[in-house]
Amino acid sequence: MTAPQDARQFSPRLAVLVTREEERKRLEELLEAQRVPICYQCRGRGTATSEMLDIFGLSGSVRLITFGILPKHGVQGLFEEAEERLGLSRKGAGIAFTVPVIGMQHPVFQVLSEETGMPEQKPAEGMEQKREEGKQHMTHVVIWVSVESGYSDEVADAARSAGANGGTVVHGLQRNSARVSDLFGVSSKEERDFVMIVAPKEKKTEIMEKIRETCGLSTKAHGVILALPVDETFGLETGEQEP
């Protein structure tokens, strides 16, 4: 499963925001104002030294980690709004970054296109070639799957049957726009299991298709499946270790 052809211009991104727990309300208002139709949230706890936490602007221990899917052309607006509402440039406020999405289900792509506006213009000359060259050097991907709580084992079994070695499960919350909830049959605020699987690039399509068949949007698991690029890996060559 790869991103639709139009996604080359749409350039979907997974935006990651790590903020303080007490900023939840402002963060929800931010995501609504920026028309981010699908996002996921979970809590985390910092493990860095207090000095490093200060450097990265993450004072305190409990973090709210938010993942939102949006087109590349919406990233600047999201970051500007995040600065205005959350003041991320202030020490202790949090951080934000994005990761390219290199595979997703077509219904998810359609919803993003309709809710966030027209795709961006064609990349500048030479950029598409650089992107393809980067993909050629990539050896692994991260397959991110969001399913209803309790279906993570089914995702893991499906992935293993297609050649994956293991994965990591995180529990959190999914938040959708009203349109996404109606189309996908998922409530606007619902507990979810997030499964992250590091897999060889050549097995990406097979693994994603197997998960889609078992736990996709049309199943009781209501799974949303994304593929994210991996730059470097360690400890995966033998296929004996889980990520």
Side-chain angles (χ1 to χ4, degrees), residues 19-169:
T19 58
R20 295 177 297 181
E21 172 72 18
E22 54 266 34
E23 297 289 2
R24 176 187 291 273
K25 181 62 177 177
R26 290 183 182 180
L27 186 59
E28 291 177 0
E29 294 172 350
L30 160 67
L31 296 169
E32 183 176 352
Q34 289 297 306
R35 300 170 63 187
V36 180
I38 306 175
C39 68
Y40 311 96
Q41 289 183 325
C42 58
R43 289 182 177 86
R45 185 173 298 274
T47 59
T49 64
S50 58
E51 181 180 354
M52 288 302 297
L53 291 175
D54 286 341
I55 291 174
F56 287 111
L58 294 171
S59 61
S61 56
V62 178
R63 316 277 183 268
L64 183 64
I65 308 170
T66 303
F67 306 86
I69 309 172
L70 73 165
K72 181 180 179 181
H73 62 77
V75 171
Q76 182 176 353
L78 177 69
F79 283 1
E80 290 176 353
E81 190 84 4
E83 171 58 25
E84 181 177 339
R85 293 176 182 264
L86 306 176
L88 293 187
S89 61
R90 300 195 313 266
K91 181 180 292 187
I95 61 173
F97 61 91
T98 63
V99 180
V101 176
I102 58 175
M104 67 168 57
Q105 297 135 294
H106 194 268
V108 178
F109 171 74
Q110 286 185 314
V111 168
L112 290 173
S113 299
E114 293 170 4
E115 292 215 5
T116 59
M118 293 296 292
E120 65 185 49
Q121 294 182 348
K122 208 169 184 180
E125 185 177 356
M127 290 300 293
E128 187 67 28
Q129 180 180 352
K130 290 181 180 179
R131 184 182 304 169
E132 292 302 319
E133 289 175 353
K135 288 181 180 179
Q136 291 175 7
H137 289 90
M138 182 177 62
T139 60
H140 288 75
V141 299
V142 171
I143 299 174
W144 163 285
V145 188
S146 167
V147 289
E148 289 195 12
S149 182
Y151 283 90
S152 57
D153 286 345
E154 284 81 350
V155 172
D157 290 342
R160 277 193 291 266
S161 70
N165 292 318
T168 301
V169 179

